[in-house]
Amino acid sequence: MNFFIESRKILLLALLVYGALKVLFVFGLLSQYIEQITLFSFIMIIASLGLNVIYGYTGQFSLGHAAFYGIGAYTSAYLTKVFEIEGVIPFLPALLLSGLLTGCAGYVIGIPILKLRDDFLAIATLGFGTLFRVLLDNSDKFAEALGGSRGFVGIPRITNLELTLSVTVFLILITRNLIFSRYGLFWRSIKADELASVSIGIDTAKMKLMAFSYGCFLAGIGGGLYAHLYTFLHPSNFDILKSIDFLIIVIIGGMGSITGTIYAGLIWVGFIEGLRIVLPAEMLDLRWVIIPLLLILLMMWKPYGLITKRSR
Amino acid sequence: MEITGYLLQQFINGLQLGAVYALIALGYTMVYGVLRLINFAHGDIFMLGAFIAYYLISKFAIPIYLVFIITMFCTAGVGYIIEKVAYKPLRGAPKISLLITAVGVSLFLEYFLSLNAIFTANYIGFPRPFEVVNYDLSLFTVTNIQILIFATTGVSLVLLYLLIYRTKQGKAMRAVSYDQEVAALMGINIDRTISFTFMVGAALAGVGGILYGIAYPQINVFMGVMPGIKSFIAAVLGGIGIIHGAVIGGFIIGISEVFVSAFLSSTFRDGVIFVILFLVLLLKPSGIFGKRIEKV
């Protein structure tokens, strides 16, 4: 109960957002497309928050976040297919289970690779992402339902505004509380100085693993919601470009900032989809020319991220 | 007898692929040596080398030795520009910012060049500059393409060795990779040395691109991604920052890839390379030839 009282402001704000969006959707003021994009931006916020815990708060760089997002998406889609889930309420345990499984996957992967640092960690996570893509492309060989390189089809559309918004708000609150708990303190101290953290008695290996698997859990939940929003999954949705998407959101939002991630998620999805509207169809390829350019300029201008001020 | 011949044949094919990986891996390892940066754009310079050679051969019908020289100068120029524009402003910035920039440069090159107005994203047939001849050596056959690849790689390696260990510029490169600050105190121009290293690495990647185009005559703007990553793994395997380590690593990666495709399945060949990477990073992060235990 305390949990809800302490965060009443945020809950009230979420309720307001819900009311406003519901009115807009019910009266058909926004098109189906915009509705989908809005839900998608919440999903991106959840998954990016995961990367922010891993990279922004704990300082462990990852280029393979999309793989965990993909694990969550494929697991939840497989679960709904096997158990023939169609409603929101029976979907919740499936979503939670796929998130937990993704967290476990993150734990198992994290044990070896979190021993590495900086650019070696980057190349190892990139390697994992590439391996995962190869696995997905050949997934129909061991489980026909996963579809391999043809894609996973026939997922029921379950994700709606109520589900997405409540999951997003709930996870944001949990993440905030975790960050300000003693574990969050350990994570931030590892980011500031790993050696010093060891010397004051923090079990850095364990804490890094914890942050990594929690971040992967968030990615898994995001992936599960994504699968049941677009009802179609393809291996190309979970490659390095997707990981770059999350990375950009974390960087724009400022590393180690929850509100920053929320704003950046909304801005980024709006920007990407805006480009889709503004650019004529034959120029759509220009998007992936503009995005890396933005990334380069962003790094030159503000190497520590945009929205938050640099600490220290 | 049959099986020995087959094994030897696969070994030769592996050497052919490994030679290309070795040429790319050298650029990674040298740049990592002086700048402590994984230059993700290096694989795209390799791709650019193949494309420049394609235009030189198919549009201008230039003799093959001139193609090599012109391509090397072009890719070296591109390497110089990338370093000056993208990486130099970030000297002293956090390591990860530099890495993100490198990823950005790589994506930019790929998607910019894949626009329909430029190279398009389609596969293009690479013109063979000469007829393929098979030399039958009883147990296995060698093509003249393979001989060209081995000869070119050999010459490049000898020249690189002479450059690094017998010239003043090479001494400067070694000094910068050993300790940047002290090298600056000794009067070495750090920025110029870093630029020079990028140019040498890019020229070698350009050579690799031409050889790859001749050996596997299908080119595409995204062709540099996987060879790039694999060559980087080769550099890590041999011990990053160590010149001969990169060469040996390249050959090991090339041979294992060919053997996995020949005896298991070609779908697993990328997977096996990453398994090698994980094993190296976990068992001996400093690589085969790395002496210093790095704090990884």
Side-chain angles (χ1 to χ4, degrees):
Chain A
M1 204 58 220
N2 228 357
F3 176 80
F4 292 103
I5 296 168
E6 271 172 20
S7 44
R8 57 185 178 276
K9 269 188 192 162
I10 296 170
L11 286 174
L12 206 65
L13 187 71
L15 218 59
L16 277 176
V17 171
Y18 169 70
L21 285 175
K22 191 72 188 170
V23 166
L24 287 173
F25 289 167
V26 166
F27 290 102
L29 293 173
L30 298 173
S31 65
Q32 193 82 35
Y33 173 66
I34 302 280
E35 192 178 334
Q36 193 146 336
I37 298 307
T38 315
L39 298 188
F40 179 59
S41 61
F42 290 143
I43 293 170
M44 289 300 279
I45 289 172
I46 300 177
S48 310
L49 209 55
L51 185 62
N52 209 346
V53 169
I54 298 171
Y55 176 39
Y57 283 104
T58 319
Q60 307 303 308
F61 190 62
S62 169
L63 275 177
H65 204 60
F68 295 103
Y69 183 64
I71 292 177
Y74 271 83
T75 316
S76 67
Y78 191 72
L79 285 175
T80 46
K81 190 156 228 172
V82 170
F83 295 107
E84 290 168 358
I85 296 168
E86 269 165 15
V88 171
I89 301 298
F91 176 58
L92 281 175
L95 184 65
L96 185 66
L97 187 63
S98 54
L100 289 176
L101 261 169
T102 315
C104 290
Y107 188 85
V108 173
I109 304 294
I111 292 172
I113 67 173
L114 285 174
K115 287 180 187 157
L116 307 167
R117 225 173 260 177
D118 293 343
D119 34 12
F120 283 90
L121 184 59
I123 207 87
T125 47
L126 177 72
F128 173 69
T130 317
L131 262 181
F132 181 70
R133 173 80 205 271
V134 173
L135 195 72
L136 280 189
D137 274 331
N138 297 300
S139 59
D140 50 342
K141 283 171 195 150
F142 51 86
E144 188 58 40
L146 298 182
S149 51
R150 281 172 288 118
F152 194 140
V153 289
I155 305 164
R157 199 191 139 111
I158 297 174
T159 307
N160 57 18
L161 178 65
E162 287 82 8
L163 177 67
T164 318
L165 196 65
S166 48
V167 169
T168 311
V169 171
F170 183 66
L171 288 176
I172 286 172
L173 290 177
I174 296 274
T175 310
R176 189 201 60 176
N177 288 1
L178 257 178
I179 293 298
F180 292 108
S181 71
R182 32 189 280 131
Y183 298 115
L185 193 64
F186 294 158
W187 295 346
R188 283 176 284 152
S189 103
I190 289 172
K191 191 201 173 174
D193 193 330
E194 194 170 335
L195 209 60
S197 309
V198 177
S199 73
I200 57 168
I202 296 172
D203 188 346
T204 52
K206 202 169 138 193
M207 284 301 120
K208 283 197 284 186
L209 254 179
M210 190 178 159
F212 194 74
S213 27
Y214 179 66
C216 293
F217 164 77
L218 289 182
I221 296 279
L225 290 172
Y226 171 82
H228 296 83
L229 177 64
Y230 283 90
T231 69
F232 173 70
L233 298 175
H234 191 266
S236 68
N237 294 340
F238 305 103
D239 61 0
I240 166 91
L241 293 180
K242 194 75 206 172
S243 298
I244 300 282
D245 253 5
F246 295 129
L247 189 62
I248 290 176
I249 292 175
V250 171
I251 292 166
I252 293 180
M255 292 157 209
S257 159
I258 292 177
T259 34
T261 306
I262 297 170
Y263 289 131
L266 296 174
I267 292 169
W268 186 248
V269 174
F271 174 71
I272 293 284
E273 298 300 328
L275 279 183
R276 202 194 285 272
I277 296 165
V278 171
L279 291 175
E282 69 272 13
M283 302 255 285
L284 209 58
D285 297 339
L286 267 180
R287 280 197 305 169
W288 277 103
V289 178
I290 297 169
I291 292 167
L293 268 185
L294 272 177
L295 197 61
I296 297 169
L297 291 176
L298 205 61
M299 282 296 111
M300 281 181 188
W301 181 41
K302 288 255 170 93
Y304 294 90
L306 256 190
I307 293 175
T308 42
K309 278 172 259 149
R310 196 188 146 189
S311 56
R312 279 196 298 165
Chain B
M1 213 57 204
E2 191 88 314
I3 188 75
T4 359
Y6 183 66
L7 280 176
L8 269 174
Q9 188 61 55
Q10 294 303 334
F11 187 71
I12 298 290
N13 295 344
L15 282 182
Q16 168 187 336
L17 188 61
V20 178
Y21 287 163
L23 285 174
I24 312 172
L26 282 168
Y28 274 115
T29 220
M30 290 195 303
V31 166
Y32 194 89
V34 296
L35 211 53
R36 299 284 180 269
L37 161 73
I38 301 172
N39 181 16
F40 273 101
H42 197 62
D44 301 298
I45 293 177
F46 158 81
M47 171 268 290
L48 214 54
F51 269 89
I52 292 168
Y54 163 77
Y55 278 100
L56 289 176
I57 294 172
S58 66
K59 298 282 189 294
F60 305 103
I62 287 173
I64 187 75
Y65 60 92
L66 266 180
V67 170
F68 274 101
I69 293 168
I70 297 173
T71 307
M72 281 171 81
F73 272 102
C74 290
T75 50
V78 173
Y80 178 81
I81 293 167
I82 290 175
E83 199 273 325
K84 274 279 172 289
V85 173
Y87 301 148
K88 181 133 183 293
L90 285 173
R91 285 291 140 74
K95 220 172 173 182
I96 296 296
S97 305
L98 206 58
L99 193 72
I100 294 170
T101 307
V103 174
V105 171
S106 162
L107 289 176
F108 172 73
L109 281 177
E110 283 160 22
Y111 284 89
F112 179 69
L113 294 177
S114 76
L115 291 179
N116 286 332
I118 307 178
F119 290 157
T120 77
N122 301 327
Y123 276 92
I124 303 171
F126 193 90
R128 282 261 153 86
F130 44 77
E131 285 302 309
V132 183
V133 186
N134 274 306
Y135 302 104
D136 203 344
L137 302 175
S138 72
L139 269 178
F140 55 91
T141 59
V142 177
T143 61
N144 53 351
I145 291 175
Q146 286 170 332
I147 292 174
L148 173 77
I149 289 178
F150 298 143
T152 319
T153 309
V155 170
S156 310
L157 291 182
V158 170
L159 287 179
L160 184 71
Y161 179 84
L162 291 177
L163 174 74
I164 290 177
Y165 292 99
R166 294 285 181 274
T167 66
K168 237 179 168 167
Q169 188 67 60
K171 207 177 215 171
M173 280 160 68
R174 281 182 289 145
V176 170
S177 80
Y178 198 76
D179 191 326
Q180 200 159 318
E181 279 168 23
V182 177
L185 290 175
M186 297 299 127
I188 293 169
N189 188 336
I190 301 287
D191 282 339
R192 225 183 59 193
T193 311
I194 290 175
S195 294
F196 184 77
T197 311
F198 262 87
M199 288 166 71
V200 174
L204 288 171
V207 174
I210 306 172
L211 295 178
Y212 193 86
I214 294 174
Y216 311 94
Q218 282 265 307
I219 59 172
N220 169 274
V221 277
F222 299 103
M223 66 183 264
V225 179
M226 281 320 279
I229 294 176
K230 285 176 192 164
S231 306
F232 176 75
I233 294 173
V236 173
L237 174 63
I240 193 122
I242 302 163
I243 301 291
H244 59 276
V247 178
I248 305 285
F251 281 116
I252 293 176
I253 295 286
I255 291 166
S256 17
E257 190 179 329
V258 167
F259 270 81
V260 168
S261 336
F263 293 103
L264 286 170
S265 153
S266 59
T267 42
F268 293 126
R269 55 177 201 189
D270 297 342
V272 166
I273 306 303
F274 284 105
V275 172
I276 293 180
L277 172 73
F278 286 128
L279 289 179
V280 172
L281 288 178
L282 294 177
L283 300 177
K284 196 162 187 295
S286 53
I288 298 175
F289 296 100
K291 288 186 198 101
R292 195 159 44 110
I293 310 275
E294 282 190 48
K295 280 189 297 173
V296 174

